[in-house]
Amino acid sequence: MQLEIEKLVYGGKGLGRFQGRTFFVPFTAPGDVVEIEETLKKSGYSEGRIKKIVKKGKNRIEPRCPYFGKCGGCDWQHLDYEAQVEAKRAILEENLQKIGRIKKPNIDEVIPSPNPWHYRNRAQFKVKNGKVGFFAKGTHEVVDIDRCDILKENLSQAIKGLKKLASLLPTEPNEFHIYSSNKDEVILKIVYHGKFKKIDLTLDDIKDMLNVNLVGFGIYKSGESGYPERIKFFGKDFTYEKIDKFKFRVSADSFFQVNRFQVENLIKKVSQGAMEYQYLLAADLYCGVGTLTIPVGRYVHKAFGIEASFSAISDALYNKDINGLRNISFFCRETEEGIEIIKENSPDLVVIDPPRSGLSQRIIREISSLPRLKRIIYVSCNPATLARDIALFYQHGIHMEKSKLIDMFPQTYHIETIAFLRKVR
Ligand SMILES: C[S@@+](CC[C@H](N)C(=O)[O-])C[C@H]1O[C@@H](n2cnc3c(N)ncnc32)[C@H](O)[C@@H]1O
């Protein structure tokens, strides 16, 4: 069957219709006329696979990477970058309208990544039978790669060395997690899911193999928490990031924003929100290493951050000192528990940057009933949960004034948004 792709949807697929039925087809572009075969039939829609491109949409380009289409890492390399960003804006707008129930959502700024390539400062490679790469979409098949053009150059160049390392280790690992600071200091985690034999290689051995400035490596076992648990570490287990006037220590087990070209923009936009009024107390939930708490802390009387990861909170405490800020405190708590601290302190500004699942109804209710609350700055990596939460905040008299799309994840369908909410009653 043949259909024309109308638009792209969240998840990356293109939407087209055939005899009134909706089809979602990966690796298509708006305006493409494609011949497809049906791969999945559900009650309200079908999924398909391209058999032939009959006519190319105007923004279709040649993908730059030889693994594109097989490797599950990227979704939109076949689209020029401007069209990718426009598709994200349209998806965000539609989510805010349909799920967030805002008639005319104000997306007042769209900030493309200064470089849509080589932006990622970290990767989690899968390893299987000598192959190193990412899973093919929707499978556990490792697509073997020799380079990755969305990764920072030194990390992409290290892939060949990682294959050599995988073959030399007494037990083949299941994953390699690798991170590079802006100063090219690299940290590697060797992750096992099951039993493994002792590793005798030294930091220098691995450094030579990878041909990068490896400052530390660790052996990890995937734990019940879902996060790999550290068994042993060799060398330095942290690096520093210098962003604008701020310096952050980021430990091997702490979260840090992945797009090295956009962190500064994220910090600037959130800080501008904190500057628009003289706030007395800012709470930053899901604060990581203090990436937003510390900049926000410069513009408010006092600030505090709450974060579940012990590693990230240790970094955050250190980071407030090296940035010379004395008006900030941090608490290591799950938000669900930390909400009590928030209630006791009664902030007038709340910054939130949760994982993809967004906020629970309870957290939304508790934040909304803070007596001094004036504004919420909600940073989100999932427009669907963001829109769901905005609709709930609305019920509590908190409205979205404006939002900004900041493209953290070029070549993929992922969308990062900063939404500015204000308490109106
Ligand atoms: C998207 S990151 C944001 C971090 C930080 N705002 C930044 O810009 O770097 C989400 C953070 O939430 C933390 N986290 C995840 N679940 C949590 C929970 N239930 N309570 C508190 N923190 C949590 C993670 O450890 C991670 O640091």
Side-chain angles (χ1 to χ4, degrees):
M1 67 197 92
Q2 192 168 307
L3 46 82
E4 179 165 352
I5 299 300
E6 291 171 21
K7 61 177 180 179
L8 295 165
V9 298
Y10 191 58
K13 297 184 179 104
L15 180 154
R17 291 174 222 271
F18 181 76
Q19 294 177 345
R21 192 171 174 75
T22 304
F23 281 79
F24 295 104
V25 190
F27 307 120
T28 53
D32 274 356
V33 177
V34 284
E35 198 152 316
I36 63 156
E37 69 179 356
E38 194 173 40
T39 50
L40 179 80
K41 192 168 186 163
K42 293 265 180 173
S43 61
Y45 68 92
S46 290
E47 288 186 5
R49 191 176 64 82
I50 301 181
K51 275 168 66 184
K52 191 177 156 199
I53 301 175
V54 179
K55 191 181 139 234
K56 290 181 181 173
K58 70 176 193 314
N59 299 108
R60 182 176 267 283
I61 55 167
E62 230 11 77
R64 147 168 172 169
C65 166
Y67 312 107
F68 181 67
K70 293 179 223 101
C71 167
C74 293
D75 312 283
W76 285 352
Q77 281 196 27
H78 62 290
L79 263 187
D80 67 42
Y81 184 52
E82 242 175 77
Q84 291 181 25
V85 175
E86 170 47 29
K88 291 185 187 192
R89 195 205 58 76
I91 292 169
L92 173 62
E93 184 172 47
E94 193 174 315
N95 272 274
L96 291 172
Q97 283 169 334
K98 288 193 175 157
I99 308 172
R101 294 188 223 121
I102 306 172
K103 256 193 210 142
K104 278 193 186 161
N106 177 7
I107 305 173
D108 74 345
E109 216 176 344
V110 174
I111 308 158
S113 181
N115 184 348
W117 299 104
H118 297 298
Y119 63 88
R120 279 194 73 100
N121 56 24
R122 61 180 65 217
Q124 296 190 1
F125 294 113
K126 310 290 177 194
V127 185
K128 204 172 183 181
N129 302 330
K131 293 179 188 168
V132 174
F134 301 106
F135 284 148
K137 259 229 152 65
T139 76
H140 284 89
E141 281 305 306
V142 178
V143 176
D144 195 37
I145 60 173
D146 281 335
R147 62 171 234 232
C148 172
D149 289 0
I150 62 170
L151 269 188
K152 197 166 174 301
E153 292 84 346
N154 59 338
L155 297 185
S156 176
Q157 282 154 18
I159 297 173
K160 286 184 182 152
L162 287 173
K163 283 187 197 174
K164 189 165 177 214
L165 173 61
S167 71
L168 289 177
L169 289 168
T171 315
E172 184 178 72
N174 299 92
E175 292 172 34
F176 285 127
H177 296 187
I178 195 160
Y179 173 78
S180 171
S181 72
N182 264 338
K183 289 220 161 130
D184 293 344
E185 287 194 332
V186 175
I187 284 177
L188 174 72
K189 294 188 193 177
I190 301 172
V191 184
Y192 287 97
H193 295 175
K195 284 191 177 150
F196 58 91
K197 292 193 189 127
K198 189 167 174 278
I199 296 173
D200 287 326
L201 294 168
T202 64
L203 180 62
D204 281 339
D205 294 336
I206 301 182
K207 185 173 172 175
D208 288 346
M209 231 178 282
L210 303 191
N211 202 12
V212 291
N213 182 18
L214 188 75
V215 295
F217 83 95
I219 322 280
Y220 286 71
K221 202 165 171 210
S222 55
E224 280 166 20
S225 61
Y227 295 104
E229 281 165 17
R230 186 184 291 196
I231 306 293
K232 231 174 176 183
F233 210 96
F234 304 87
K236 225 168 72 160
D237 71 346
F238 60 86
T239 58
Y240 288 100
E241 292 294 349
K242 177 110 184 42
I243 292 150
D244 193 12
K245 44 190 162 308
F246 304 103
K247 194 172 175 186
F248 299 99
R249 184 182 79 184
V250 182
S251 292
D253 300 334
S254 303
F255 171 92
F256 198 69
Q257 299 287 345
V258 299
N259 185 325
R260 63 194 175 114
F261 304 122
Q262 286 284 53
V263 196
E264 186 170 338
N265 286 330
L266 176 70
I267 289 176
K268 275 198 179 136
K269 298 298 165 186
V270 171
S271 300
Q272 277 167 13
M275 262 182 249
E276 282 171 10
Y277 184 86
Q278 281 200 348
Y279 292 103
L280 287 177
L281 180 64
D284 180 16
L285 316 188
Y286 309 91
C287 69
V289 301
T291 320
L292 303 175
T293 338
I294 289 166
V296 163
R298 283 176 62 103
Y299 303 108
V300 298
H301 187 60
K302 272 183 172 180
F304 66 97
I306 294 193
E307 157 68 48
S309 152
F310 180 75
S311 168
I313 280 291
S314 309
D315 287 337
L317 286 165
Y318 184 82
N319 290 338
K320 81 172 165 88
D321 288 342
I322 57 172
N323 287 285
L325 286 158
R326 288 161 173 248
N327 60 338
I328 302 182
S329 39
F330 288 101
F331 301 91
C332 188
R333 299 275 195 296
E334 301 259 337
T335 303
E336 292 69 14
E337 195 193 326
I339 198 75
E340 294 309 319
I341 300 174
I342 299 165
K343 279 158 66 180
E344 277 160 29
N345 286 280
S346 198
D348 46 359
L349 171 66
V350 174
V351 178
I352 323 166
D353 185 3
R356 293 175 52 76
S357 52
L359 302 173
S360 70
Q361 293 204 19
R362 180 182 151 237
I363 298 294
I364 292 177
R365 213 175 40 243
E366 300 276 25
I367 292 175
S368 304
S369 55
L370 290 169
R372 297 203 184 107
L373 182 74
K374 289 198 167 61
R375 172 172 263 198
I376 298 172
I377 304 177
Y378 189 150
V379 181
S380 155
C381 57
N382 182 341
T385 55
L386 170 70
R388 177 201 68 196
D389 294 347
I390 283 177
L392 289 169
F393 275 123
Y394 189 88
Q395 290 176 9
H396 295 285
I398 294 169
H399 297 189
M400 188 188 92
E401 285 182 320
K402 61 182 178 189
S403 60
K404 297 177 192 295
L405 189 155
I406 171 160
D407 191 22
M408 285 282 187
F409 313 103
Q411 320 307 331
T412 80
Y413 71 83
H414 294 287
I415 301 174
E416 183 93 358
T417 311
I418 314 172
F420 297 82
L421 281 62
R422 196 164 61 87
K423 184 146 188 169
V424 294
R425 62 176 157 79

